[in-house]
Amino acid sequence: GAPEMQHDPLSGEGEEPARTGDAPAPEDVDGVEMDPVGATFTLDEAVDAIPLGRFHVQLFFVCGFAWMADAMEVLLLAFVGPAIRCEWGVTDFQAATMTTIVFAGMSVGSVMWGTIADKKGRKTSLLWSTFVIFVAGLVCAGASSFHMLLVGRMVVGIGVSGVPVAFSLLMEFLPQKVRGRMGIALCFWWSVGAMAEAVLARAVMPTLGWRWLLALSTFPALLLLCMAPCIPESARFYAAHHHEEKAEASLRRAAGKSGGAPPPR
């Protein structure tokens, strides 16, 4: 029979050239081809190569406003409940439903926004959920009846359930070495929102009333919507949908803003 080909460890003859870092093939979902010759690397490797910088700080603040909006919309009912009971003469049980109805809306939206995030993008899901919070919050401020207020609060709950998409978006751009601490640090913004709502209620309720408190509590949502041009789309979402060029562009923008070198071509 034919003699077996011996492997020369110096020349590399007799073996298939290995890809650097055992990166997945170009067609893999988590692999983004950056070199027409065929060199690839995983998204995690690309994200880890981007130094922590201005891009990450900006994204941390943007996602933080979403968590502020969450806290303020959930906690404001503790301040407006007594005033609403006096104005419309509702019972304690009816007043308690204002809180319950928010969580009922969250149970509906929690499934919806995750699906939208996977099919249309993290940015799209986050912005639409924020828009729902903003509009529904203003509707609640102008409610002409208790039942209208309940419907508005339920819609707010649907919008608030989309806030965790901000967490996913942030995590998909963070290097592994800081991913844990930055993810937990995002909870800082929920505390800021809770404290801001208490201060706002103390300043507004005695003079302007509960309707103004509801309206002003939508400010973090409005601020997040105004910052929409600064919100990037996840490179992982692009790669999962086989938009490798868009994934590469997203990574290069992140690297450029952070002062690091973009992924090699």
Side-chain angles (χ1 to χ4, degrees):
E4 294 184 359
M5 181 175 62
Q6 298 296 322
H7 167 56
D8 184 347
L10 297 179
S11 65
E13 294 178 357
E15 69 171 356
E16 180 183 355
R19 296 189 304 271
T20 302
D22 290 333
E27 64 271 11
D28 288 351
V29 169
D30 288 338
V32 181
E33 186 172 0
M34 297 294 181
D35 190 322
V37 176
T40 64
F41 56 84
T42 66
L43 278 172
D44 282 336
E45 290 171 343
V47 170
D48 287 344
I50 300 174
L52 198 66
R54 183 167 63 92
F55 170 82
H56 300 95
V57 173
Q58 177 180 292
L59 186 59
F60 180 73
F61 273 82
V62 169
C63 294
F65 290 136
W67 285 84
M68 280 188 66
D70 184 343
M72 295 180 74
E73 290 295 341
V74 170
L75 296 179
L76 65 82
L77 294 177
F79 302 105
V80 303
I84 291 175
R85 282 198 295 268
C86 292
E87 180 169 332
W88 282 328
V90 300
T91 65
D92 291 341
F93 176 78
Q94 288 175 317
T97 58
M98 289 190 299
T99 301
T100 305
I101 203 71
V102 173
F103 291 103
M106 291 175 67
S107 66
V108 175
S110 59
V111 177
M112 179 179 68
W113 296 120
T115 302
I116 294 175
D118 285 338
K119 291 186 175 181
K120 301 297 182 181
R122 290 25 165 178
K123 178 178 180 178
T124 299
S125 180
L126 178 60
L127 290 178
W128 273 107
S129 62
T130 304
F131 179 76
V132 169
I133 295 173
F134 176 67
V135 173
L138 293 181
V139 170
C140 290
S144 57
S145 67
F146 180 70
H147 290 94
M148 182 178 178
L149 178 62
L150 284 182
V151 173
R153 295 315 299 173
M154 183 174 184
V155 178
V156 167
I158 293 174
V160 164
S161 64
V163 167
V165 175
F167 178 84
S168 299
L169 180 62
L170 179 63
M171 291 300 100
E172 291 178 0
F173 275 108
L174 286 175
Q176 294 185 47
K177 62 182 180 180
V178 298
R179 197 171 294 167
R181 74 188 76 164
M182 292 292 287
I184 299 301
L186 194 60
C187 297
F188 161 80
W189 292 101
W190 206 95
S191 300
V192 171
M195 292 185 291
E197 187 64 28
V199 172
L200 186 62
R202 184 177 179 84
V204 172
M205 287 294 291
T207 54
L208 300 177
W210 64 271
R211 294 182 185 275
W212 274 99
L213 180 61
L214 288 176
L216 293 174
S217 296
T218 64
F219 179 73
L222 176 62
L223 192 58
L224 181 57
L225 291 173
C226 292
M227 297 182 71
C230 301
I231 302 176
E233 183 52 87
S234 168
R236 187 173 297 278
F237 166 76
Y238 283 138
H241 288 263
H242 307 290
H243 299 307
E244 286 79 8
E245 292 184 358
K246 291 183 178 180
E248 179 184 351
S250 180
L251 293 171
R252 289 184 180 279
R253 283 193 295 269
K257 286 186 178 181
S258 293
R265 297 193 68 89

